[in-house]
Amino acid sequence: MVVLLAFMLIARVVTPADFGIAAAGMIVVELGVVLAQFGVKFALIQKMELTADDRATGLALTVAFSVMTAGGIWLLRAPLEGLFAIEGLAPVLGALTIVVLVSGAAGSFEAMLYRDLQFQKVSLIDFAGTFFGFGVVATLMALAGAGVWSIVAGHIVTWTLRSACYVLLAPRPPMGRFTSRSARALLYFGAGFSMGRLANYVANNADRAIVGRVLGAEALGFYERALQLMLAP
């Protein structure tokens, strides 16, 4: 609801084309988040007996995958702009790689909160990130005339604040060391889980990608806003 109310206000001053550019950027970023986590976060959550080596290995894997995925998106930002045929997408993608980096790297800490059944804390963290990201930062920047960068900043602040809270508030059991045995176990589960997440990603984003590629940024902006209104609680 916070996001909906914030976007209703932002929509009064930000053009549909700017919404479309930001939406196209998030289509790529959401794929990047799936690849950056590679199911390791969920492997850490479901593993019945989680050792100190598993925790250390999970942290190393999530950080490594996040850096590689964010770097790949940053390097491919110009070709991706050409693929979507949306002018101005490349710099937006360059900035949004921060979302991939911080959300993926904090995945193992978020997993510890879930393992500890601290669902209320996770919900409060998610709400706080969204409130400050869009309810405060994005709204103020939009009113100041920042255009598409108000939405980009909203996403960056939201995910950076959430990730920082995960790191600071997660339980801190003893850490071991990176081992190939733990890596194989986590990646075995993570690879299969990621296939399901990729299928879900395609189902949720294929329509938006087609609208953006075929009809352009303005049409994607209108489509994205209508979709969010439809999905709002």
Side-chain angles (χ1 to χ4, degrees):
M1 184 59 69
V2 173
V3 175
L4 178 61
L5 293 175
F7 271 120
M8 288 175 63
L9 179 58
I10 294 170
R12 302 290 297 177
V13 291
V14 176
T15 67
D18 284 339
F19 269 109
I21 295 172
M26 288 307 296
I27 292 172
V28 177
V29 166
E30 287 173 16
L31 175 60
V33 170
V34 174
L35 297 177
Q37 293 181 348
F38 201 70
V40 173
K41 178 180 78 174
F42 302 97
L44 290 170
I45 294 172
Q46 66 82 39
K47 203 169 189 294
M48 185 171 296
E49 297 292 337
L50 194 66
T51 67
D53 287 348
D54 289 334
R55 288 188 287 271
T57 301
L59 175 59
L61 289 174
T62 53
V63 170
F65 287 146
S66 298
V67 171
M68 289 188 294
T69 306
I73 293 174
W74 191 85
L75 290 173
L76 295 173
R77 64 194 187 282
L80 286 168
E81 178 178 306
L83 178 64
F84 276 91
I86 294 179
E87 186 177 354
L89 179 59
V92 167
L93 277 175
L96 286 174
T97 54
I98 297 173
V99 173
V100 178
L101 185 62
V102 299
S103 63
S108 63
F109 296 96
E110 184 183 2
M112 293 304 102
L113 286 169
Y114 278 108
R115 281 189 67 89
D116 206 35
L117 304 180
Q118 298 189 33
F119 304 120
Q120 184 177 20
K121 186 177 290 186
V122 173
S123 297
L124 289 173
I125 290 172
D126 290 348
F127 173 80
T130 302
F131 177 80
F132 284 104
F134 287 98
V136 178
V137 174
T139 300
L140 292 177
M141 288 184 64
L143 293 174
V148 64
W149 293 105
S150 62
I151 305 173
V152 171
H155 286 298
I156 292 174
V157 171
T158 295
W159 285 100
T160 301
L161 182 57
R162 286 179 179 177
S163 299
C165 289
Y166 292 147
V167 173
L168 292 173
L169 300 178
R172 297 301 178 92
M175 283 279 191
R177 59 187 179 85
F178 181 94
T179 66
S180 58
R181 180 178 181 181
S182 291
R184 285 194 300 270
L186 295 174
L187 292 175
Y188 179 79
F189 178 89
F193 195 89
S194 291
M195 295 299 103
R197 293 192 73 198
L198 285 171
N200 188 61
Y201 167 84
V202 172
N204 289 332
N205 291 279
D207 54 341
R208 293 194 295 162
I210 292 171
V211 169
R213 178 64 178 85
V214 176
L215 300 179
E218 185 173 9
L220 177 58
F222 280 118
Y223 185 81
E224 176 72 10
R225 291 301 93 229
L227 185 62
Q228 292 302 320
L229 285 172
M230 180 189 72
L231 297 175

